[in-house]
């Protein structure tokens, strides 16, 4: 059976030579325009004649003239070359000042409570048309959301979280942990020993979507210890409000603890020696590694973290 697809045997590079030859109607000028040697153009013309079964250019008293077949093919070839050129031309660079892109960030309340308002305040004057949306980190986001571009970036995930092998992560923030208690708490002083720490009633955090135990529980478990939990909360603000009304202790990153001390009747307490300093990350999908908009977003979030920590 004859091959019904002529492209299988046709060298598409010849189309550029064909278009220039028919426009210039001269082998030497074609060679000069394409930065090729004259023999190379002559060889390409022979191949074109064989492939298209037509002389294409014929010597006349007026010089080389295209055949009717060549003139018939020229508009379609020119259109095809323009389409290929548009297709292969890199997209315009991302310009936050004019872009109307909508970013979806999957994150936890650490970022949303502590950094997100300042991030928006910083970005908005420079990128007035951008839109942002927040989504909760979930296994669906990690397994499908990033790849399907339903989510652009995952912000604040613990560095030791097990990720699908297809994802990429980069360090973002490392913070020391401190404790919070109510200002009215007379049982806990300015610091807690490890022995006192495990005796105090505590508010834990449910790690929604992360799949890991809380940092404090991991640290205690490695020492064969377990703390006394009064409750687990879904977010830091609810946990802090509970602490303000009880004699419980909440362990959380320092910057977030300092924020809550300005909003609620709480005070900072030095945690037991050796408390870990958790590292949080930015996670994205390598499919969009070269996406200028996502690279801009990652850089902005890194600047935001550096401005907060001063490191």
């Amino acid at each position: 059976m004859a091959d019904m697809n002529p492209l299988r045997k046709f060298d598409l590079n010849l189309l550029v030579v064909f278009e220039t030859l028919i426009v210039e109607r001269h082998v030497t000028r074609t060679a000069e325009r394409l930065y090729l040697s004259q023999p190379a153009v002559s060889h390409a013309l022979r191949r074109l004649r064989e492939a298209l079964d037509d002389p294409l250019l014929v010597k006349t008293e007026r010089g080389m003239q295209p055949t009717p077949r060549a003139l018939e093919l020229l508009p379609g070839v020119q259109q095809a070359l323009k389409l290929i050129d548009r297709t292969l031309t890199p997209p315009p660079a991302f310009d936050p000042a004019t872009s109307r892109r909508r970013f979806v960030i999957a994150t936890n309340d650490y970022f949303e409570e502590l950094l997100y308002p300042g991030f928006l305040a910083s970005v908005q004057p420079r990128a007035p048309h951008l839109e942002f949306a927040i989504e909760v980190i979930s296994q669906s986001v990690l397994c499908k959301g990033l790849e399907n571009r339903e989510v652009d970036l995952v912000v604040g995930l613990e560095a030791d979280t097990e990720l699908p092998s297809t994802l990429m992560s980069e360090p973002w923030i490392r913070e020391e942990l401190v404790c919070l208690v109510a200002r009215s708490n007379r049982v806990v002083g300015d610091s807690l020993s490890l022995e006192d720490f495990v005796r105090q009633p505590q508010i834990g955090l449910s790690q929604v979507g992360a799949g890991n135990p809380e940092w404090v529980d991991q640290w205690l478990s490695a020492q064969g210890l377990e703390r006394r939990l009064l409750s687990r909360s879904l977010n830091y603000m609810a946990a802090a409000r509970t602490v303000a009304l009880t004699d419980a202790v909440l362990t959380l990153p320092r910057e977030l603890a300092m924020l809550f001390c300005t909003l609620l009747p709480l005070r900072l307490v030095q945690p037991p020696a050796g408390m870990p300093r958790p590292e949080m990350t930015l996670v994205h999908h390598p499919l969009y590694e070269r996406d200028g908009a996502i690279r801009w977003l990652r850089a902005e979030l890194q600047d935001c973290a550096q401005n907060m920590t001063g490191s």
Side-chain angles (χ1 to χ4, degrees):
M1 181 180 294
D3 191 343
M4 301 300 291
N5 187 350
L7 287 179
R8 294 181 187 276
K9 296 181 179 179
F10 191 88
D11 183 353
L12 295 179
N13 292 308
L14 293 175
L15 292 180
V16 177
V17 179
F18 170 85
E19 191 263 349
T20 310
L21 271 170
I22 304 308
V23 170
E24 292 292 341
R25 304 180 185 188
H26 198 282
V27 171
T28 301
R29 287 199 298 269
T30 296
E32 291 172 351
R33 276 189 56 185
L34 298 179
Y35 300 98
L36 296 173
S37 67
Q38 185 172 330
V41 173
S42 296
H43 177 66
L45 178 56
R46 285 195 297 272
R47 292 180 62 196
L48 281 163
R49 285 167 169 166
E50 292 173 2
L52 298 173
D53 193 25
D54 189 89
L56 301 178
L57 281 176
V58 177
K59 287 183 180 179
T60 71
E61 293 182 357
R62 293 177 293 133
M64 298 284 282
Q65 293 296 315
T67 65
R69 172 69 169 153
L71 292 174
E72 178 186 3
L73 289 171
L74 181 60
V77 170
Q78 289 176 322
Q79 184 177 6
L81 291 174
K82 288 178 181 178
L83 178 60
I84 292 171
D85 184 65
R86 285 198 303 269
T87 302
L88 298 181
T89 299
F94 175 72
D95 181 5
T98 59
S99 174
R100 295 182 178 274
R101 177 154 177 169
R102 180 177 187 267
F103 289 103
V104 179
I105 299 172
T107 189
N108 50 33
D109 62 321
Y110 172 87
F111 171 71
E112 190 171 14
E113 292 277 359
L114 184 62
L115 292 169
Y116 189 50
F119 166 76
L120 290 180
S122 170
V123 165
Q124 200 273 334
R126 296 178 286 120
H129 307 296
L130 293 182
E131 180 183 347
F132 295 88
I134 294 293
E135 184 173 319
V136 174
I137 301 173
S138 67
Q139 288 300 322
S140 175
V141 164
L142 297 176
C143 294
K144 297 179 181 179
L146 285 168
E147 182 172 335
N148 295 341
R149 215 162 192 170
E150 297 163 2
V151 170
D152 294 296
L153 202 63
V154 173
V155 178
L157 199 62
E158 295 89 338
D160 60 355
T161 300
E162 186 174 346
L163 295 173
S165 59
T166 53
L167 299 183
M168 302 176 69
S169 69
E170 60 187 272
W172 181 50
I173 284 180
R174 181 183 289 275
E175 266 225 75
E176 67 173 317
L177 295 178
V178 296
C179 296
L180 276 185
V181 298
R183 289 180 196 162
S184 59
N185 189 318
R186 297 291 178 260
V187 177
V188 177
D190 293 333
S191 63
L192 282 165
S193 66
L194 182 58
E195 181 179 338
D196 289 337
F197 181 76
V198 296
R199 280 205 304 254
Q200 299 303 314
Q202 301 198 24
I203 306 297
L205 274 296
S206 297
Q207 300 296 293
V208 179
N212 285 338
E214 195 179 349
W215 301 311
V216 178
D217 295 321
Q218 289 179 311
W219 177 63
L220 291 175
S221 178
Q223 302 175 76
L225 297 173
E226 186 176 349
R227 57 181 171 162
R228 177 188 163 198
L229 281 174
L230 173 64
S231 174
R232 284 195 184 274
S233 293
L234 289 176
N235 60 74
Y236 283 114
M237 175 57 83
R241 292 180 63 194
T242 301
V243 168
L245 298 173
T246 66
D247 60 354
V249 174
L250 173 62
T251 305
L252 70 172
R254 173 179 286 277
E255 294 292 335
L256 194 56
M258 292 172 62
L259 171 65
F260 288 152
C261 284
T262 66
L263 301 175
L264 297 165
L266 299 166
R267 60 183 174 88
L268 291 181
V269 173
Q270 189 66 29
M275 184 75 76
R277 294 187 64 194
E279 181 177 69
M280 290 167 276
T281 62
L282 303 180
V283 179
H284 65 282
H285 200 286
L287 273 175
Y288 313 111
E289 173 69 14
R290 304 297 296 177
D291 186 314
I294 294 179
R295 297 177 75 175
W296 173 85
L297 178 61
R298 287 162 51 198
E300 287 292 324
L301 289 170
Q302 290 288 9
D303 287 346
C304 184
Q306 185 174 19
N307 291 337
M308 186 191 77
T309 61
S311 59

